[in-house]
Amino acid sequence: MSSSPSKRLGRVGTFSLGIARIPDLATMLDADAVVWPAPARRIDTVVGWGRKPNTRTARAFAARRGLPFLALEDGFLRSVGLGVEGDPPLSVVVDEEGIYYDASRPSTLERLVRETRLDDDEAARAAAAIDAMLGAKLSKYNDAPVLALPRTSRQRVLVVDQTANDMSLELGRASGFDTMLRAAIDENPEAEIILKTHPDVAVGRKRGHYSRRDAGGRVVLRTERENPISLLEQVDRVYVMTSLLGFEALLAEKPVVCFGAPFYAGWGLTDDRGDVPLERRGSASVEQLFWSAYARYTRYRDPETGERCEVERVIEHLRLQREVGGVSARTIVAVGFSAWKRAFLPSFLTGPGVDVKLVDDAPAAAKHTNAASALVVWGTGRDDVDRLARAQRLPVWRMEDGFLRSVGLGSDLYAPASLVVDTRGLYYDPATVSDLEHILETAEFGPALLDRARALRQSIIEARVSKYNIGRVGRAIRATGRDVVLVVGQVEDDASIERGCIDVSRNEDLLRLARIARPHAHVVYKPHPDVVSGNRRDSLPLAVASRMCDQVVVDASLPDCLAAADEVHTLTSLVGFEALLRRLPVVCYGQPFYAGWGLTLDRHPHPRRTRRLSLDELVAGALILYPRYVSPRSGRYTTPEHIVTHLAMSKDEPASRLGGTWTGRQARKLTNLGKELFRAP
């Protein structure tokens, strides 16, 4: 059921190029198209941005043509970052009568609040959405870090500043910031008074009303960018003019004093000192006000699909950005990454208040480190970085490809959709505990998580998705009537072989032992795609391999091979994990991350892995809790479910083809490098 019903618009015209460039605006408006400039073509409706002076031309044009005019503004859950940082809105409000911050005239929001009577489903959704927002600390903008106030025995009163010349002050009947501050001081004689600047002031874009001359004694000025919900959690009372922070304070059940006439004043929820148009309002609950403003008045777009969505979808998306990016380090210094990796790297490290630095070596890294820093390296790392980390007592995080990576090989410079950032070790090095091993050994896998893992596993199988999603469909294994044993080749100088193998580390030895173990089976050898593509070397020539087994498959897709297999033998390949997803028996000659949990037949059982896992517990840890996923569409953190959908839809792209001439392979790499460098920030 849609929480924000709207009539279908035709062609919507605007005089603002900025409005015309908002992604998926036509979808959010339920319009056939957004046309700029408005007079250029036939239009049915005119839109402008709020009550800004530059909407006068649009309003006059609409009046002359007898067309309806709609006022747009950013939604109350707008985006991850500030609009100035190029972060497009995930929501807009649409008002056909006025605009929510203009108290001089009625607005659609005002009418919705009066008309809205929540049924049981809406009341439950409103309560759940408020709890989810508060739990994830979501606000209009969501890239500021959580900061703790110094401990005190005093009560704390928050006084909220706003930007100078903000239209919501003039149109919201604001009555003076000096008056508000004096009231907060006088009415709370024992409390600490916190003056909080606006985020745009904190980044230097605009001016506010309070400065350091207003601070002193019990009055503290806070100019840092910080998460507003976290700040609200640490205060006892809030004074505002018209700021949205006042409504967020109501959601957090804080007493709110209003010196202006914001949309949430005048409903019996606030202590109103301003000129509030009470004759147009009445009484409302916080849930009623929330549902009217956030669900019915606001239009949302799904960041993954661009389609209209409900408020819960955007809450979930923004929650994920804070959760995945909520690392302990304020400065992340990535050392020694290639130009290609630098192009996509920041998207996998960004987080609230996180500053990502890209440097060439340890001496350069040392210029950016402090006590709140972390160093990031690719793979098992570099000696110079390890020395720097020891000297400055800094953590080293290790990055590698995730398990649902891309359509196309990393060695062909296709960008990843998933990476892992491991704060302990790396999943392919069994000598040390990795974050993944720690998860699998200690995590509590609740019913909801296991249900999600089960559904994810099934979707991977049905979508025929694997790590690289390459190879030709239909080039499958010959049917012989015998059991099919799939032997998976690897790149022999790969770190996972060096770290994860004990006595068998060559493809030739693996194939020989598999033949000895299953002498009557139809043994199939599949070389690693990096070897087939010509990007990496292998000590086992295909001609030799073909004499040691019954069949060599070169360009068949991995899902086709697994569908035909009855058993898989591997050193440490991820293919063993993908075979487990399909409940195939897997024999491990090394110690990959999925071995040692009771799901595989292990040549060398790992003594540190003592827990017996179900398949869905393994999937939950390896595919849901451990990697980071970034959407190719939004450039933001996403879920493995969305990446499976993306990979499934992209499998027919040219990237899925292997091999080619040396010249063709180099051209492919240069093309992919150019794509990433061009779109890098």
Side-chain angles (χ1 to χ4, degrees), residues 485-488 510 513-514 517-518 567-573 576 579-580 584-590 592 594-595 599-604:
V485 172
L486 179 64
V487 181
V488 184
L510 170 66
L513 290 171
R518 296 299 305 275
E567 185 174 297
V568 171
H569 288 231
T570 179
L571 296 171
T572 61
S573 172
L580 287 179
L584 292 175
V586 177
V587 181
C588 296
Y589 293 76
Y594 51 86
L599 297 168
T600 53
L601 180 62
D602 302 327
R603 182 178 176 92
H604 298 285

Side-chain angles (χ1 to χ4, degrees), residues 235-524:
V235 303
D236 301 284
R237 196 177 186 192
V238 178
Y239 286 69
V240 297
M241 285 289 177
T242 61
S243 170
L244 180 63
L245 196 56
F247 183 63
E248 294 171 340
L250 288 179
L251 298 181
E253 300 182 343
K254 303 294 180 177
V256 177
V257 182
C258 292
F259 277 75
F263 74 87
Y264 50 87
W267 304 100
L269 301 170
T270 51
D271 179 353
D272 298 327
R273 312 286 178 85
D275 182 14
V276 181
L278 297 176
E279 70 280 0
R280 299 202 311 259
R281 301 191 178 179
S283 62
S285 67
V286 171
E287 291 78 12
Q288 182 180 344
L289 200 56
F290 171 84
W291 195 251
S292 300
Y294 282 69
R296 300 192 66 198
Y297 187 55
T298 307
R299 313 280 183 86
Y300 299 93
R301 66 181 180 93
D302 190 307
E304 299 292 343
T305 67
E307 298 299 317
R308 279 282 296 273
C309 68
E310 303 296 323
V311 61
E312 292 94 341
R313 171 69 185 103
V314 171
I315 288 174
E316 174 59 23
H317 171 76
L318 294 175
R319 180 202 63 78
L320 187 66
Q321 309 315 304
R322 294 197 62 84
E323 182 179 273
V324 177
V327 296
S328 56
R330 295 292 302 278
T331 303
I332 297 178
V333 185
V335 188
F337 287 80
S338 65
W340 170 64
K341 286 189 172 75
R342 289 186 183 200
F344 59 75
L345 182 82
S347 296
F348 288 89
L349 294 174
T350 186
V354 173
D355 185 17
V356 179
K357 302 291 186 182
L358 306 174
V359 301
D360 292 328
D361 51 30
K367 298 177 182 178
H368 299 285
T369 55
N370 52 53
S373 298
L375 303 169
V376 176
V377 294
W378 187 264
T380 52
R382 302 160 49 115
D383 292 341
D384 60 340
V385 175
D386 290 337
R387 287 193 296 271
L388 174 63
R390 288 192 295 270
Q392 298 193 7
R393 297 183 178 179
L394 298 176
V396 178
W397 300 347
R398 306 185 191 281
M399 179 176 275
E400 259 290 355
D401 284 331
F403 308 135
L404 294 169
R405 186 193 184 279
S406 55
V407 173
L409 298 172
S411 61
D412 278 338
L413 305 191
Y414 286 99
S418 69
L419 294 176
V420 302
V421 180
D422 202 307
T423 64
R424 290 180 172 87
L426 261 181
Y427 66 87
Y428 58 71
D429 185 359
T432 59
V433 176
S434 66
D435 285 347
L436 177 54
E437 185 177 297
H438 179 74
I439 289 169
L440 296 176
E441 186 72 37
T442 65
E444 293 185 11
F445 299 103
L449 180 58
L450 292 179
D451 287 345
R452 183 182 173 193
R454 190 175 304 111
L456 175 62
R457 176 169 57 84
Q458 191 60 37
S459 69
I460 290 171
I461 296 170
E462 292 175 355
R464 300 169 56 81
V465 163
S466 62
K467 181 176 181 178
Y468 294 118
N469 301 286
I470 52 179
R472 300 183 185 179
V473 175
R475 298 295 183 93
I477 296 169
R478 294 193 301 266
T480 64
R482 292 180 288 164
D483 284 349
V484 173
V485 172
L486 179 64
V487 181
V488 184
Q490 292 179 244
V491 178
E492 293 180 346
D493 61 356
D494 190 75
S496 71
I497 298 293
E498 177 186 344
R499 305 274 176 154
C501 291
I502 297 175
D503 58 345
V504 181
S505 59
R506 298 170 65 244
N507 291 324
E508 183 174 352
D509 294 333
L510 170 66
L511 185 54
R512 176 176 53 80
L513 290 171
R515 168 57 82 191
I516 293 172
R518 296 299 305 275
H520 304 297
H522 182 79
V523 177
V524 178

Side-chain angles (χ1 to χ4, degrees), residues 90-337:
L90 297 172
S91 63
V92 295
V93 303
V94 181
D95 203 308
E96 58 190 29
E97 300 165 52
I99 195 66
Y100 69 89
Y101 54 75
D102 184 357
S104 68
R105 66 191 69 197
S107 70
T108 298
L109 175 55
E110 204 170 61
R111 174 173 56 79
L112 287 172
V113 177
R114 288 197 309 269
E115 295 176 353
T116 296
R117 296 294 180 267
L118 301 181
D119 60 29
D120 290 344
D121 177 66
E122 290 170 331
R125 288 178 63 187
I130 292 170
D131 287 346
M133 283 179 54
L134 294 175
K137 295 180 171 53
L138 300 185
S139 184
K140 185 174 184 178
Y141 309 111
N142 295 281
D143 62 343
V146 171
L147 300 181
L149 297 175
R151 291 185 178 182
T152 181
S153 58
R154 286 177 167 178
Q155 284 197 325
R156 282 190 164 115
V157 172
L158 179 65
V159 179
V160 182
D161 196 5
Q162 290 178 245
T163 58
N165 303 317
D166 187 335
M167 291 197 68
S168 76
L169 296 175
E170 176 186 350
L171 299 177
R173 302 175 178 179
S175 58
F177 282 84
D178 290 341
T179 302
M180 180 169 66
L181 176 57
R182 177 48 52 192
I185 293 172
D186 292 344
E187 294 169 9
N188 303 276
E190 301 299 324
E192 179 181 83
I193 310 298
I194 298 175
L195 300 179
K196 180 56 190 167
T197 57
H198 189 276
D200 282 338
V201 176
V203 298
R205 284 189 69 219
K206 296 182 180 180
R207 293 182 298 106
H209 298 85
Y210 298 128
S211 64
R212 299 206 176 275
R213 68 174 179 271
D214 298 298
R218 293 189 293 123
V219 181
V220 178
L221 180 70
R222 287 185 70 83
T223 60
E224 304 93 330
R225 288 197 68 191
E226 59 185 313
N227 180 266
I229 306 302
S230 174
L231 182 59
L232 288 172
E233 292 173 344
Q234 301 174 80
V235 303
D236 301 284
R237 196 177 186 192
V238 178
Y239 286 69
V240 297
M241 285 289 177
T242 61
S243 170
L244 180 63
L245 196 56
F247 183 63
E248 294 171 340
L250 288 179
L251 298 181
E253 300 182 343
K254 303 294 180 177
V256 177
V257 182
C258 292
F259 277 75
F263 74 87
Y264 50 87
W267 304 100
L269 301 170
T270 51
D271 179 353
D272 298 327
R273 312 286 178 85
D275 182 14
V276 181
L278 297 176
E279 70 280 0
R280 299 202 311 259
R281 301 191 178 179
S283 62
S285 67
V286 171
E287 291 78 12
Q288 182 180 344
L289 200 56
F290 171 84
W291 195 251
S292 300
Y294 282 69
R296 300 192 66 198
Y297 187 55
T298 307
R299 313 280 183 86
Y300 299 93
R301 66 181 180 93
D302 190 307
E304 299 292 343
T305 67
E307 298 299 317
R308 279 282 296 273
C309 68
E310 303 296 323
V311 61
E312 292 94 341
R313 171 69 185 103
V314 171
I315 288 174
E316 174 59 23
H317 171 76
L318 294 175
R319 180 202 63 78
L320 187 66
Q321 309 315 304
R322 294 197 62 84
E323 182 179 273
V324 177
V327 296
S328 56
R330 295 292 302 278
T331 303
I332 297 178
V333 185
V335 188
F337 287 80

